[in-house]
């Protein structure tokens, strides 16, 4: 048998052993002709392997993060694909922000303001287009005493919601509250089209800008915005604003004519009726005030406001018998209305009607209403009536028989006692009580303004001035308090402080021309001859008076 010839043997490529086997698919070993070993990298396999490994790692990490966000953090609006595709990552950020905002809203409902503030700030940062979250953040910042930061947060949101009336309303209201009239006009000019339409968004911008112009005395600017949409000028709000502008221009008869026409067209509108009565009262037309109040009260017997207007008209005219009958009827008709009785008690305190204030206190207790405000108003009525001994005795008796009042109402009653001590000439006790009251952390500027007026009434002008300074510290934008402070500075010849206070007043809305004329006279006298602020203050007052100067009617 023929011997089979053996085939020549080919060398087997060297391969890695052990844990190095993982490199075998990517490296090819070769024996060179000279017998040495050389490895060649298989780049296609390396690239493909790296891509597969990276994809697997990405899918795995995306799954882990998805599970954590979806089930651990509770963000139910995300899905696995949002984490896989980079183009959908912003959706994850927005969803997390919306979740934080929803959680913050629940915290606010449970009166947990601070945790809610911290969470909603993160939420708005991640979801800047969330309208409710941005509004909530602005509200919480305002409650935390950060109005400037709240304003910036709300203004930043206009880029996302400049067409949304539900966002524009609170934003514009906030800007009005903070006297940011120029910002309102700037927003209207930026976002209004060349020819505004009749939609709600355009109407909001136009009316807000016109109102801002009115507040600043720029009546021509206000009229331009009203004329930009003829339907707005003929609307209820447009006509009311036009009447107010004509009054401020000095055309009082024209303004009253416009208000009468508007009240006749809308006889059930309480705001228009109140505006008409207020302007008639300013024009000292007491008979017409009484007729208007009586007619509106007859048409709306269930509203306490018109009844109180009529009562004020009777008191102003000195018709005591009619006023007494109206009081009896009011107490009878609104015996079950706690807020109406409190409004009447406030009027009693304002006019110093002690018997009425005490009567309402007993009525509130008999009906199981909150009677504490009535009792305090009764003490205030005694102060206004200059029954200082009676006010002190009543305040002390309330604090003695109600020990828990010391924490809640002690400072308020202390302020009334201070006024009574000033009225009796006991300045040492008065200053001690007033200082204790002014050192309270949370005081309302409106209450401080009322106390300052009571202090002026008993001859304590310097203490009233310190009270007004505290009121402005509590609310720097309270123009009524600042105007009264400037008046006291003028009366007391406070040379050092007047220019600074006057400059702040001139930066506000339409300062009183009467105050400005007195200030111009005082600043021009020898009292301020050596004041460094005198020239600038005089020039500012002059410009303000020129702006408020009356012009001839354009009829």
């Amino acid at each position: 048998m023929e011997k089979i010839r053996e085939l020549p043997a080919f060398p087997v490529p060297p391969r890695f052993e052990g844990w190095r086997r993982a490199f075998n698919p990517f490296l090819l070993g070769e024996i060179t002709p000279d017998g040495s070993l050389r490895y060649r990298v298989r780049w296609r396999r390396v690239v493909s392997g790296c891509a597969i490994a990276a994809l697997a790692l990405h899918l795995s990490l995306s799954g882990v993060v998805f599970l954590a966000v979806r089930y651990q953090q509770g963000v139910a609006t995300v899905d696995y694909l949002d984490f896989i595709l980079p183009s959908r990552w912003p959706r994850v950020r927005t969803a997390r922000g919306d979740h934080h905002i929803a959680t913050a809203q629940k915290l606010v409902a449970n009166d947990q303001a601070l945790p809610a503030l911290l969470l909603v700030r993160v939420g708005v940062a991640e979801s800047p287009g969330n309208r409710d979250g941005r509004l909530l953040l602005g509200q919480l910042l305002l409650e935390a005493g950060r109005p400037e930061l709240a304003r910036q947060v709300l203004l930043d949101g206009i880029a996302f919601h400049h067409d949304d009336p539900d966002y524009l309303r609170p934003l514009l209201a906030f800007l009005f509250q903070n006297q940011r009239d120029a910002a309102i006009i700037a927003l209207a000019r930026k976002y209004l089209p060349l020819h505004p339409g009749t939609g709600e968004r355009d109407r909001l911008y136009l009316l807000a800008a016109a109102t801002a112009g009115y507040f600043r005395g720029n009546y021509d600017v206000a009229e331009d915005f009203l004329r930009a949409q003829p339907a707005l000028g003929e609307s209820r709000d447009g006509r009311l604003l036009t009447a107010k502008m004509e009054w401020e221009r000095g055309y009082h008869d024209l303004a009253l004519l416009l208000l009468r026409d508007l009240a006749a067209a809308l006889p059930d509108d309480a705001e228009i009726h109140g505006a008409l009565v207020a302007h008639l009262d300013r024009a000292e037309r007491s008979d017409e005030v009484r007729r208007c109040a009586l007619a509106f009260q007859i048409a709306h017997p269930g509203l306490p406001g018109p009844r109180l207007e009529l009562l004020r008209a009777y008191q102003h005219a000195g018709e005591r018998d009619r006023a007494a009958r109206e009081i009896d009827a009011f107490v009878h008709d609104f015996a079950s209305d706690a807020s109406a009785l409190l409004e009447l008690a406030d009027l009693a305190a304002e006019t110093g009607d002690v018997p009425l204030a005490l009567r309402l206190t007993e009525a509130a207790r008999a009906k199981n209403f909150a009677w504490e405000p009535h009792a305090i108003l009764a003490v205030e009525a005694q102060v206004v009536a200059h029954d200082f001994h009676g006010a002190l005795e009543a305040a002390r008796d309330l604090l003695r028989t109600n020990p828990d009042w010391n924490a809640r109402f002690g400072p308020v009653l202390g302020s009334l006692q201070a006024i009574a001590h000033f009225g009796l000439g006991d300045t040492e006790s008065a200053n001690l009580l007033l200082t204790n009251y002014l050192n309270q952390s949370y005081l309302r500027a409106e209450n401080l303004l009322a106390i300052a007026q009571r202090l002026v009434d008993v001859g304590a002008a310097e203490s009233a001035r310190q009270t007004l300074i505290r009121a402005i510290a509590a609310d720097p934008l309270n123009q009524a308090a600042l105007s009264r402070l400037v008046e006291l500075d003028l009366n007391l010849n406070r040379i050092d402080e007047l220019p600074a206070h006057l400059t702040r007043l001139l930066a506000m809305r339409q300062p009183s021309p009467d105050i400005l004329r007195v200030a111009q006279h005082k600043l021009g006298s020898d009292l301020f001859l050596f004041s460094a602020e005198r020239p600038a203050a005089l020039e500012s007052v002059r410009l303000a008076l020129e702006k408020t100067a009356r012009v001839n009617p354009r009829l």
Side-chain angles (χ1 to χ4, degrees):
M1 181 181 295
E2 184 179 358
K3 187 177 181 179
I4 299 176
R5 185 175 59 183
E6 294 182 358
L7 296 175
F10 291 94
V12 178
R15 301 177 65 83
F16 292 107
E17 298 295 334
W19 64 270
R20 293 184 177 87
R21 290 178 180 177
F23 296 106
N24 287 331
F26 308 106
L27 296 175
L28 179 62
E30 297 177 343
I31 299 176
T32 60
D34 60 359
S36 61
L37 179 62
R38 184 180 67 180
Y39 289 96
R40 181 167 57 86
V41 179
R42 298 179 175 180
W43 288 110
R44 289 185 180 180
R45 292 190 179 186
V46 170
V47 173
S48 300
C50 290
I52 294 172
L55 179 61
L57 180 62
H58 175 67
L59 294 175
S60 301
L61 291 177
S62 298
V64 171
V65 177
F66 165 70
L67 293 174
V69 173
R70 177 71 177 270
Y71 297 104
Q72 184 176 358
Q73 297 182 8
V75 183
T77 56
V78 296
D79 54 43
Y80 184 42
L81 197 60
D82 293 333
F83 294 85
I84 294 175
L85 300 178
S87 61
R88 299 181 64 167
W89 288 351
R91 288 187 55 184
V92 177
R93 178 181 174 88
T94 301
R96 291 185 65 215
D98 294 340
H99 176 72
H100 290 327
I101 291 170
T103 305
Q105 291 172 332
K106 295 178 182 177
L107 291 174
V108 170
N110 293 326
D111 295 327
Q112 300 182 51
L114 182 57
L117 174 59
L118 299 176
L119 199 58
V120 77
R121 291 187 74 169
V122 177
V124 171
E126 294 186 335
S127 180
N130 189 304
R131 182 193 66 196
D132 295 338
R134 191 171 289 275
L135 291 175
L136 178 61
L137 177 57
Q139 174 190 341
L140 293 176
L141 287 172
L142 192 62
E143 292 175 357
R146 302 294 299 277
E148 290 300 322
L149 192 54
R151 178 178 65 87
Q152 192 58 50
V153 166
L154 294 176
L155 286 176
D156 290 343
I158 199 72
F160 303 94
H161 309 292
H162 58 84
D163 290 331
D164 187 352
D166 291 332
Y167 186 82
L168 292 176
R169 288 191 201 94
L171 170 63
L172 295 172
F174 176 80
L175 293 176
F176 274 127
Q177 183 182 0
N178 288 271
Q179 298 195 12
R180 301 289 179 173
D181 305 311
I184 293 173
I185 295 175
L187 288 175
R189 286 175 171 163
K190 180 177 181 180
Y191 291 108
L192 277 173
L194 183 61
H195 300 290
T198 58
E200 187 176 6
R201 187 208 72 153
D202 288 357
R203 186 181 183 278
L204 279 173
Y205 277 125
L206 289 170
L207 186 59
T211 305
Y214 160 72
F215 282 146
R216 289 294 169 178
N218 299 324
Y219 305 125
D220 292 337
V221 172
E223 286 184 339
D224 288 342
F225 281 108
L226 289 178
R227 293 195 189 105
Q229 175 47 254
L232 178 61
E234 296 300 321
S235 68
R236 177 253 192 206
D237 294 329
R239 292 170 66 185
L240 180 58
L241 185 59
T242 298
K244 291 179 179 179
M245 286 192 290
E246 297 302 344
W247 177 276
E248 295 300 333
R249 280 170 164 156
Y251 316 140
H252 294 173
D253 291 337
L254 176 59
L256 291 175
L257 178 63
L258 294 173
L259 287 171
R260 291 190 191 102
D261 290 343
L262 190 55
L266 300 169
D268 296 326
D269 195 312
E271 182 184 359
I272 293 173
H273 166 75
L276 174 59
V277 169
H279 285 81
L280 287 172
D281 189 52
R282 291 172 65 183
E284 298 182 352
R285 302 191 182 188
S286 55
D287 290 340
E288 189 173 356
V289 168
R290 183 171 52 186
R291 290 197 302 270
C292 287
L294 181 59
F296 200 80
Q297 181 262 323
I298 292 173
H300 305 86
L303 296 179
R307 302 280 293 271
L308 291 173
E309 286 178 358
L310 182 61
L311 178 57
R312 284 191 177 92
Y314 286 150
Q315 292 176 337
H316 184 71
E319 300 182 15
R320 297 183 179 180
D321 293 338
R322 287 188 174 183
R325 288 196 296 270
E326 182 59 34
I327 288 172
D328 291 339
F330 189 99
V331 173
H332 177 268
D333 295 341
F334 296 99
S336 299
D337 190 336
S339 61
L341 293 181
L342 190 58
E343 289 183 53
L344 182 59
D346 189 66
L347 177 61
E350 179 185 334
T351 57
D353 192 340
V354 179
L356 176 58
L358 294 174
R359 174 184 174 184
L360 291 172
T361 302
E362 293 303 319
R365 298 189 71 168
K367 289 287 185 177
N368 290 324
F369 295 153
W371 64 277
E372 295 90 343
H374 287 273
I376 295 173
L377 288 172
V379 176
E380 184 177 355
Q382 290 175 301
V383 170
V384 174
H386 285 196
D387 180 11
F388 301 125
H389 288 290
L392 289 173
E393 184 178 350
R396 291 166 184 163
D397 184 62
L398 287 172
L399 293 174
R400 183 175 59 255
T401 56
N402 303 278
D404 59 315
W405 281 33
N406 284 285
R408 292 190 297 161
F409 307 114
V412 177
L413 289 171
S415 67
L416 294 174
Q417 288 177 284
I419 298 170
H421 279 295
F422 275 120
L424 294 173
D426 185 3
T427 57
E428 184 177 353
S429 298
N431 284 323
L432 182 63
L433 288 166
L434 184 61
T435 301
N436 180 60
Y437 174 69
L438 295 180
N439 286 335
Q440 301 298 310
S441 301
Y442 301 102
L443 294 174
R444 295 184 59 191
E446 293 78 8
N447 296 340
L448 290 165
L449 180 59
I451 290 171
Q453 186 56 49
R454 302 284 182 246
L455 289 168
V456 171
D457 293 340
V458 296
E462 186 59 43
S463 296
R465 186 177 175 278
Q466 296 302 320
T467 304
L468 290 171
I469 291 174
R470 179 66 178 85
I472 295 169
D475 182 5
L477 297 177
N478 193 300
Q479 188 166 347
L482 186 56
S483 298
R484 195 72 180 96
L485 178 59
V486 170
E487 286 187 69
L488 288 180
D489 283 343
L490 291 168
N491 293 335
L492 298 174
N493 293 325
R494 300 302 295 255
I495 299 174
D496 296 334
E497 295 90 345
L498 176 60
H501 294 157
L502 189 59
T503 300
R504 290 182 62 179
L505 180 62
L506 290 171
M508 292 186 173
R509 296 168 174 165
Q510 301 185 54
S512 168
D514 294 333
I515 295 178
L516 296 183
R517 292 188 190 98
V518 175
Q520 187 180 43
H521 174 73
K522 286 273 188 176
L523 289 170
S525 67
D526 293 340
L527 287 172
F528 292 86
L529 188 60
F530 300 104
S531 173
E533 295 86 359
R534 174 187 180 184
L538 268 175
E539 181 63 16
S540 299
V541 171
R542 184 187 65 80
L543 293 174
L545 285 173
E546 286 182 358
K547 185 177 179 181
T548 58
R550 295 176 179 177
V551 296
N552 294 325
R554 300 169 297 162
L555 299 177

